[in-house]
Amino acid sequence: MKKEIFTIVSNRKLTDSVFKMTLCGDTSAITAPGQFVNIELEGLYLRRPISVCDLEGERLTLIYKAVGKGTEQMSAMGKGEALDILTGLGNGYDTANSGACPVLIGGGVGVPPLYLLAKKLIGEGKNPKVILGFNTALEVFYEDEFCALGIETFVTTVDGSHGIKGFVTDALKSCGEYSYTFSCGPEPMLKAVYNESLTDGQFSFEERMGCGFGACMGCSCKTKYGYKRICKDGPVLEKGEIIW
Amino acid sequence: MVNTEVVLSGITLTNPVIPASGTFGFGAEFAQLYDINILGSLSFKGTTVEERFGNPTPRIAECSSGMINSVGLQNPGLKAVCEHELPKLATLYKKPVIANISGFSIEEYVECAKAMERQESVGIIEVNVSCPNVHGGGMSFGVDAKAAAEVTRAVKAVSKKPVYIKLSPNVTDIVSIALACEDAGADGLSLINTLYAMRIDLKTKKPVLANKMGGLSGPAVFPVALRMVYQVFEAVKIPIIGMGGVAAAEDVIEMMLAGASAVQIGAANLKNPVACKEIIEDLSRVMEKYRISSLSEIIGGAH
């Protein structure tokens, strides 16, 4: 963990409510895809945890949905503004056991951390494929970016307005063979993926956090291997340890 | 050159800044960011005899100037704390620590106190009396002068180390409870614990916390805490550790003027993990600004 000041390089809309913010600063504490940062915002007591979407040297990309006071404040910020950020939080995904062709499944704002994960897997010589789930065509983002990585990209929408009609699990049934499952998204989606997936895997969870770095025990959960803090021992849990 | 030293029951602290129990774990997360040996002392995560998961989540709610938690004393249990956490802490922090203990019966408090008595690194035993008393109909020990005194006497009977009782502010008259603890032999008092509070989510129209209610901390509670420290200082002769919303060196000094011999920092650590470091580093500047040469001389100075 590090506490650093980052400068906003750009902040733009991807959809009606989803924004992409690029920042510049010391990213050296971020060591794995699936980790998150915790952002201090003016007038708000608690920091806002946001998953890392991409990382290139000092360049940090965050994708977030403006859903409350904190993220709405972030969406109004512009180039050159500074943010106090705790970086390198959480365990992140471990790619050691992924096999040659893992599937990455994301829903809504669960999609962003899969981007850095996909890049890492490609860098390891693996051949990942990705399933991105949204409610409707207007909410779809990052399809082109995943395609540009040269990996097979499936998009599902619940209303069928773009890509495959249905849920990510519908795409999972028809996407061919896969060696491992990485997933991030709302809990009902994670549970559906957990039930449908034919392989071992890792699932990234969300919980209301106090500190975000393991001190307050605000975000604990029960696992088959004991109590874990989503912010410190998670947010990524192994399939074999999850208790629904 | 200013003097930031203070003394608690014969233990000299290089400065009065102490992270409060439940906001600092066992120090490891913070030691990644700074050398925690600069701290006056450290009150570690509240320990109970048995391991506890605590309350269901969500157990954190935000407020305009603070937060509400309903963690519910999650901790690995007395045995794991003594065998694993305290040895790890001893590698990070070399000064005497404050052992924060909790119980749901007098016997549990006594068992924790006995174990902490044997720990070389423990300088002070801090007794959290805000937990429900399972034998007393679930009412918290800390809201009843008789029950608080009973816990104090029982812990004192098995402790040679100084015993501080951490008082709940959720009472009609905190002074009467403070006096009862002093009469029962307490060596000092810690106040205040969190204030009972809640939030409701407008989207779901239900309480934010799964437990519905929890404890409010952060700058929102500072004036309440300060008032209680001021009142208790007038009534008792034993030292007070003041806490509740302290977030800056100025707050430390204000708390000491009200009557605190040392000060704990709680929620501020969660918002800013280097809060204690920044406060300690800022102390001498603020002391010079207000022409204070020695912190121990200002204790209760507002009276």
Side-chain angles (χ1 to χ4, degrees):
Chain A
M1 167 170 64
K2 275 195 172 184
K3 181 175 177 288
E4 299 291 339
I5 302 297
F6 280 71
T7 310
I8 298 172
V9 177
S10 69
N11 191 23
R12 67 181 178 85
K13 241 182 185 189
L14 295 181
T15 73
D16 247 9
S17 59
V18 173
F19 292 77
K20 174 179 173 175
M21 182 183 277
T22 309
L23 303 114
C24 186
D26 181 349
T27 59
S28 60
I30 305 169
T31 54
Q35 285 187 310
F36 66 96
V37 299
N38 213 1
I39 306 175
E40 186 172 65
L41 293 162
E42 211 181 311
L44 297 175
Y45 196 70
L46 297 174
R47 290 169 183 264
R48 295 300 188 264
I50 309 283
S51 65
V52 171
C53 171
D54 196 13
L55 194 61
E56 295 253 5
E58 292 213 308
R59 221 25 98 82
L60 170 69
T61 304
L62 307 174
I63 291 180
Y64 60 95
K65 188 171 182 176
V67 286
K69 273 187 202 165
T71 42
E72 274 161 19
Q73 190 183 131
M74 281 174 68
S75 70
M77 297 185 83
K79 190 180 172 175
E81 288 189 70
L83 285 169
D84 179 322
I85 303 183
L86 300 179
T87 66
L89 305 179
N91 57 352
Y93 292 105
D94 180 354
T95 57
N97 299 319
S98 73
C101 51
V103 63
L104 282 50
I105 305 171
V109 274
V111 165
L114 302 182
Y115 186 73
L116 187 60
L117 174 61
K119 279 174 58 174
K120 183 171 187 208
L121 290 163
I122 293 165
E124 290 171 353
K126 292 160 184 168
N127 182 25
K129 55 185 138 194
V130 64
I131 300 170
L132 313 176
F134 300 94
N135 286 313
T136 185
L138 289 172
E139 293 178 8
V140 176
F141 64 87
Y142 253 50
E143 181 181 9
D144 294 345
E145 284 79 355
F146 278 99
C147 286
L149 294 175
I151 62 175
E152 217 178 338
T153 303
F154 303 86
V155 175
T156 67
T157 52
V158 178
D159 66 1
S161 54
H162 187 80
I164 302 162
K165 182 174 175 2
F167 295 101
V168 289
T169 41
D170 296 313
L172 182 63
K173 283 174 205 151
S174 56
C175 74
E177 280 188 25
Y178 51 94
S179 56
Y180 198 79
T181 307
F182 292 102
S183 192
C184 183
E187 203 165 305
M189 187 206 90
L190 293 182
K191 196 172 177 181
V193 171
Y194 175 96
N195 288 329
E196 294 290 334
S197 161
L198 303 171
T199 68
D200 203 353
Q202 292 168 34
F203 295 75
S204 183
F205 285 81
E206 233 185 0
E207 187 50 82
R208 213 173 254 267
M209 293 176 187
C211 63
F213 54 88
C216 74
M217 316 305 267
C219 62
S220 299
C221 69
K222 291 176 181 171
T223 76
K224 289 176 187 163
Y225 308 147
Y227 305 153
K228 289 201 168 183
R229 297 161 292 184
I230 290 294
C231 72
K232 179 82 188 284
D233 312 309
V236 178
L237 300 181
E238 301 264 351
K239 189 176 184 180
E241 66 180 320
I242 297 167
I243 300 172
W244 294 102
Chain B
M1 195 56 190
V2 295
N3 183 0
T4 58
E5 266 183 17
V6 295
V7 179
L8 282 180
S9 304
I11 302 166
T12 302
L13 314 185
T14 52
N15 65 68
V17 177
I18 305 167
S21 179
T23 64
F24 212 74
F26 293 88
E29 288 76 23
F30 298 85
Q32 287 178 45
L33 293 176
Y34 67 98
D35 180 1
I36 60 172
N37 285 292
I38 61 168
L39 301 167
S41 183
L42 181 169
S43 179
F44 61 71
K45 177 71 193 169
T47 299
T48 53
V49 172
E50 302 297 336
E51 179 184 26
R52 280 178 61 81
F53 175 70
N55 292 317
T57 57
R59 47 197 197 187
I60 301 287
E62 189 181 43
C63 310
S64 330
S65 194
M67 58 183 279
I68 306 170
N69 88 81
S70 59
V71 169
L73 293 171
Q74 181 177 354
N75 80 93
L78 186 58
K79 189 166 182 279
V81 167
C82 292
E83 287 177 8
H84 305 295
E85 301 297 342
L86 294 187
K88 271 192 275 176
L89 174 56
T91 66
L92 302 172
Y93 189 71
K94 307 295 180 193
K95 300 176 186 171
V97 298
I98 299 177
N100 185 287
I101 59 167
S102 281
F104 298 87
S105 66
I106 300 279
E107 294 71 31
E108 286 180 14
Y109 279 106
V110 167
E111 193 175 342
C112 282
K114 277 183 179 167
M116 293 308 169
E117 185 64 27
R118 290 192 294 270
Q119 295 293 320
E120 208 187 319
S121 62
V122 171
I124 289 173
I125 297 172
E126 183 178 63
V127 184
N128 174 9
V129 289
S130 298
C131 345
N133 174 2
V134 293
H135 299 303
M139 204 167 69
S140 151
F141 286 99
V143 301
D144 176 53
K146 241 172 88 183
E150 205 183 334
V151 174
T152 309
R153 258 191 302 276
V155 171
K156 271 302 285 179
V158 296
S159 312
K160 287 191 193 73
K161 297 184 191 226
V163 173
Y164 280 50
I165 309 297
K166 183 166 177 178
L167 301 181
S168 166
N170 306 308
V171 295
T172 336
D173 177 20
I174 196 165
V175 172
S176 62
I177 294 172
L179 282 169
C181 293
E182 184 181 40
D183 288 346
D187 298 285
L189 299 168
S190 293
L191 59 141
I192 57 173
N193 210 319
T194 55
L195 281 151
Y196 222 27
M198 78 181 293
R199 293 301 306 267
I200 293 168
D201 185 330
L202 296 186
K203 282 180 194 152
T204 63
K205 300 182 175 63
K206 297 286 174 207
V208 171
L209 299 172
N211 209 42
K212 298 187 180 74
M213 289 164 224
L216 174 65
S217 59
V221 311
F222 178 72
V224 178
L226 190 79
R227 181 265 294 177
M228 289 186 165
V229 168
Y230 187 92
Q231 286 179 313
V232 169
F233 180 83
E234 298 223 311
V236 303
K237 293 179 188 68
I238 51 179
I240 297 167
I241 305 178
M243 71 198 73
V246 175
E250 285 86 350
D251 300 342
V252 171
I253 289 170
E254 203 173 333
M255 201 52 110
M256 293 184 74
L257 287 168
S261 293
V263 172
Q264 289 186 5
I265 316 287
N269 292 307
L270 307 178
K271 179 181 174 59
N272 174 13
V274 293
C276 284
K277 178 177 186 275
E278 289 176 3
I279 291 169
I280 291 167
E281 287 171 353
D282 201 28
L283 260 180
S284 53
R285 180 193 65 83
V286 178
M287 286 172 70
E288 275 161 18
K289 181 177 172 187
Y290 294 102
R291 295 199 212 108
I292 298 163
S293 56
S294 168
L295 274 186
S296 62
E297 284 168 15
I298 68 162
I299 298 165
H303 293 262

